[in-house]
Amino acid sequence: MATLSLKNLNKIYPNGFHAVHNFNLDIEEGEFVVFVGPSGCGKSTTLRMIAGLEEISSGEFLINGERANEKGPREREVAMVFQSYALYPQMTVYDNIAFGLTLQGVDEDVIEERVQKTAKILGLTDYLDRLPRALSGGQRQRVAIGRALIRKVGIFLMDEPLSNLDAKQRVTMRSEIAQIHQETGSTTIYVTHDQTEAMTLADRIVVMKDGYIQQVGTPYELYFKPENVFVAGFIGEPPMNFARETVENGAIAFGDQRIDLTAFRPDIAAMEGKEIVFGFRPEAVVLQEKENAARMECQVELTEMLGDYTNVYITAGEQHAILKVDSHDTPETDGTITFWIPAESMYFFDGATEKVL
Ligand code: ATP
């Protein structure tokens, strides 16, 4: 097991592109950290710098307190699982899993024991004689994970390991990865652009955008205490509703609705005349009158009944928003819906910096 420390890491590619800016993070022993963000934000580049597959342009990378910038991938004792499983097609599942140990010249008996144990954890015992082409996508990914696991290294790196699987397989493998992590206790870094994977797997999530860390926190912190508009909009499905408005007489407009903020924000006077971004989550609204909440009455444009809940697409004049309500409360399309946004579910961000107020 291992602790990792990333201090002011930067990556500038040979073509001059600055892909990762001043990345700072300390990862505890056994922690499961997920890097999440839109395509091109620098997640894989950061992971590859940790793996030793990409040179670190500046900054320091420490494993167990020791500088590792100059160490090669093998010396860093990391195991990595890629999006493409990268299995050897002509080798059986057994040989694919055993490969790393065979290369190291480990004793046959030890290899046999470790392959059997790894295969058992991953439910591959009955497939050891098969070639990869005779396996499903999920099974292949399990072999790739097995090949990494068997090396018993302290650091486990995964780059979008589930992206080639269908939705159902992804859910199954996701819980398997969580179980494997519990069993092995390896320090794990997992890259994904899927916020559900990030929320369900992570002890801590690192949200990235354009090569910069936006926020580091537990899933709870990122959902309830987003530090800026980007994180607030990235975590949560459907995303948070936003309106960019100027504070006038202690109130803001939400389309044709007016929200008097004097009761909710004691510091509202300081925001007078300023542009702010107001946000609330679709699932945070209540349909019964509530104290210390803003009342809204909006037009219902469309509803989507999804089983236990319904997405309600509403308009307030020019302003659009989505509400998530219990499916038993699904309103009529083309009618109006009245709802309350509790004070604790209102978010305010600075219009210029987009940081939380
Ligand atoms: P994705 O989810 O699409 O894999 P990512 O967040 O992992 O995205 P990276 O692969 O780390 O993103 O790429 C970050 C940025 O660096 C991108 O804009 C990419 O085009 C650029 N980049 C990646 N590799 C190179 C390279 N070898 N030379 C120059 N630019 C590169």
Side-chain angles (χ1 to χ4, degrees), residues 71-123:
K71 287 188 177 168
R74 285 210 165 266
E75 282 175 284
R76 294 186 192 195
E77 302 229 315
V78 298
M80 185 147 170
V81 177
F82 298 92
Q83 175 176 348
S84 59
Y85 321 124
L87 300 178
Y88 297 103
Q90 75 286 11
M91 286 188 196
T92 61
V93 168
Y94 183 102
D95 289 336
N96 264 287
I97 296 178
F99 188 69
L101 299 185
T102 313
L103 266 193
Q104 286 171 28
V106 175
D107 211 56
E108 282 296 328
D109 294 349
V110 177
I111 293 181
E112 166 83 25
E113 191 202 321
R114 299 248 299 258
V115 171
Q116 292 294 351
K117 198 170 163 204
T118 307
K120 199 167 165 212
I121 294 174
L122 293 163

Side-chain angles (χ1 to χ4, degrees), residues 27-42:
I27 301 177
E28 286 172 30
E29 191 161 299
E31 204 177 1
F32 198 122
V33 172
V34 176
F35 295 170
V36 70
S39 183
C41 69

Side-chain angles (χ1 to χ4, degrees), residues 131-353:
L131 292 173
R133 66 166 177 271
L135 299 176
S136 71
Q139 289 164 339
R140 282 180 214 174
Q141 191 53 289
R142 261 178 251 166
V143 178
I145 291 173
R147 198 176 48 183
L149 267 186
I150 200 166
R151 292 181 45 218
K152 285 194 181 163
V153 294
I155 307 166
F156 206 42
L157 308 177
M158 290 193 248
D159 193 351
E160 304 246 9
L162 309 185
S163 56
N164 286 339
L165 305 182
D166 65 37
K168 213 169 163 184
Q169 286 176 324
R170 273 208 299 273
V171 175
T172 314
M173 276 307 289
R174 203 169 71 201
S175 61
E176 285 184 20
I177 286 173
Q179 269 173 12
I180 291 166
H181 176 251
Q182 263 177 5
E183 279 170 34
T184 61
S186 304
T187 306
T188 302
I189 308 178
Y190 186 104
V191 163
T192 181
H193 59 266
D194 181 327
Q195 53 133 338
T196 312
E197 275 174 33
M199 293 294 274
T200 51
L201 287 169
D203 292 319
R204 275 191 307 159
I205 299 175
V206 179
V207 182
M208 295 180 71
K209 182 190 167 209
D210 299 336
Y212 289 91
I213 293 184
Q214 299 292 308
Q215 189 170 350
V216 181
T218 62
Y220 185 94
E221 284 165 344
L222 292 189
Y223 181 81
F224 287 105
K225 292 177 185 148
E227 283 171 10
N228 60 37
V229 171
F230 179 78
V231 174
F234 191 78
I235 303 287
E237 181 56 38
M240 186 182 279
N241 298 301
F242 294 113
R244 191 174 271 278
E245 297 293 343
T246 303
V247 180
E248 279 174 32
N249 300 319
I252 51 164
F254 187 84
D256 61 11
Q257 302 288 297
R258 182 174 180 273
I259 307 177
D260 185 348
L261 297 176
T262 44
F264 309 123
R265 292 289 300 216
D267 56 345
I268 192 67
M271 299 180 209
E272 189 64 31
K274 268 196 181 174
E275 190 183 62
I276 62 166
V277 177
F278 167 70
F280 66 96
R281 295 204 181 274
E283 56 277 24
V285 301
V286 290
L287 301 183
Q288 296 81 33
E289 179 158 8
K290 190 171 161 54
E291 274 188 27
N292 202 23
R295 180 183 184 277
M296 309 264 272
E297 195 176 336
C298 297
Q299 287 291 320
V300 177
E301 296 291 318
L302 177 78
T303 60
E304 290 173 341
M305 215 289 282
L306 290 149
D308 56 339
Y309 67 93
T310 296
N311 286 331
V312 184
Y313 293 75
I314 57 161
T315 53
E318 297 286 293
Q319 183 69 48
H320 295 265
I322 304 179
L323 312 180
K324 203 167 166 180
V325 303
D326 189 298
S327 52
H328 297 106
D329 296 327
T330 302
E332 294 288 329
T333 307
D334 291 335
T336 60
I337 183 169
T338 304
F339 59 92
W340 284 260
I341 309 169
E344 67 273 15
S345 301
M346 298 180 189
Y347 292 87
F348 301 95
F349 304 91
D350 185 295
T353 64

Side-chain angles (χ1 to χ4, degrees), residues 13 15 17 19 38-45 160:
Y13 279 109
N15 67 357
F17 185 74
S39 183
C41 69
K43 311 177 290 285
S44 298
T45 301
E160 304 246 9

